[in-house]
Amino acid sequence: MQQKVFSGILFLTLGLALACNPGKNLNTQVHNRDAEGRKTNIQYPKQPTPTPDNINMSYDFEQLFTPAQNHQIDSLVRLFEKSNLIAIKVITLPADRVSADQFASNNKSLLEEWAGVHGNTDKAMVVTISKALNKVAVDYGPFVEKLLSKAEADQIISNDFQPALQSGAVFEGTWKGVNDLMDTIRKNIK
């Protein structure tokens, strides 16, 4: 009896080990057969490079947050990246680091740089806030664009970020705005 139980456990363990092969490289082609039995190639999508632990995901250059608040935002977007594979960078910029007329183009440059950190992925997003300029910009790659429309992002900026800049509750508005961006993306994942 013990021999049968041991054999069953061994068989189950071996089956799980083979089924969950961690050595499988999902970036390589594999073979599959179509309806007529012909061999076809399947290319798995390349996963973005996760943000290294030594790189922050929230940078408060305008010093709008306490260190604890900045850490909270960093932890929030880091957790979102782990569960949804979308890397969000939140950055505050004072007026001496960017001009009002260059604010939007600066955010697009930050997005390109952030996507590069992650292996040139289209699963990156940058949220830039400047209280001094009273501006917020949200830019993201083509993959995120499928899950978050420009109209949805603009509405979140108008409803969450902008009122917070005007009232002085910048952390609260940023926290709510980033959460609303992430919730909208989660809602639109089908």
Side-chain angles (χ1 to χ4, degrees):
M1 176 72 168
Q2 288 179 338
Q3 177 87 18
K4 286 183 179 181
V5 171
F6 179 73
S7 295
I9 292 172
L10 181 63
F11 179 74
L12 180 61
T13 305
L14 181 60
L16 284 173
L18 291 173
C20 301
N21 181 1
K24 182 95 172 149
N25 182 353
L26 295 181
N27 294 327
T28 60
Q29 288 189 345
V30 295
H31 298 287
N32 197 11
R33 302 228 179 248
D34 64 10
E36 285 83 36
R38 295 179 296 221
K39 200 185 278 190
T40 59
N41 291 329
I42 299 173
Q43 181 75 33
Y44 288 105
K46 183 178 180 187
Q47 296 300 317
T49 305
T51 305
D53 290 336
N54 64 339
I55 295 179
N56 291 337
M57 296 177 79
S58 179
Y59 292 89
D60 184 21
F61 294 119
E62 198 171 8
Q63 298 180 347
L64 300 175
F65 313 132
T66 66
Q69 290 171 333
N70 194 50
H71 180 73
Q72 280 181 282
I73 293 171
D74 189 87
S75 297
L76 175 70
V77 292
R78 196 171 293 277
L79 182 63
F80 183 75
E81 178 190 26
K82 287 180 182 172
S83 61
N84 294 284
L85 302 176
I86 296 170
I88 301 174
K89 179 179 187 174
V90 178
I91 186 167
T92 68
L93 291 177
D96 64 348
R97 302 245 350 224
V98 63
S99 64
D101 59 330
Q102 295 294 314
F103 191 79
S105 63
N106 184 67
N107 201 53
K108 291 183 186 331
S109 296
L110 288 170
L111 175 64
E112 289 175 23
E113 175 188 299
W114 189 239
V117 168
H118 298 86
N120 293 318
T121 184
D122 59 352
K123 295 181 178 182
M125 174 188 280
V126 174
V127 178
T128 302
I129 302 161
S130 178
K131 184 175 187 215
L133 298 173
N134 195 34
K135 290 191 172 285
V136 177
V138 177
D139 283 298
Y140 38 85
F143 177 83
V144 180
E145 192 174 322
K146 296 174 187 175
L147 305 171
L148 179 68
S149 71
K150 177 83 171 119
E152 289 169 322
D154 288 344
Q155 183 177 8
I156 292 169
I157 290 170
S158 296
N159 293 344
D160 298 338
F161 290 101
Q162 287 294 337
L165 288 177
Q166 293 160 2
S167 72
V170 181
F171 171 74
E172 293 78 7
T174 301
W175 183 263
K176 183 168 180 359
V178 170
N179 272 293
D180 284 350
L181 288 168
M182 294 186 308
D183 288 344
T184 302
I185 290 169
R186 285 187 199 106
K187 178 189 74 168
N188 291 333
I189 292 174
K190 295 182 172 117

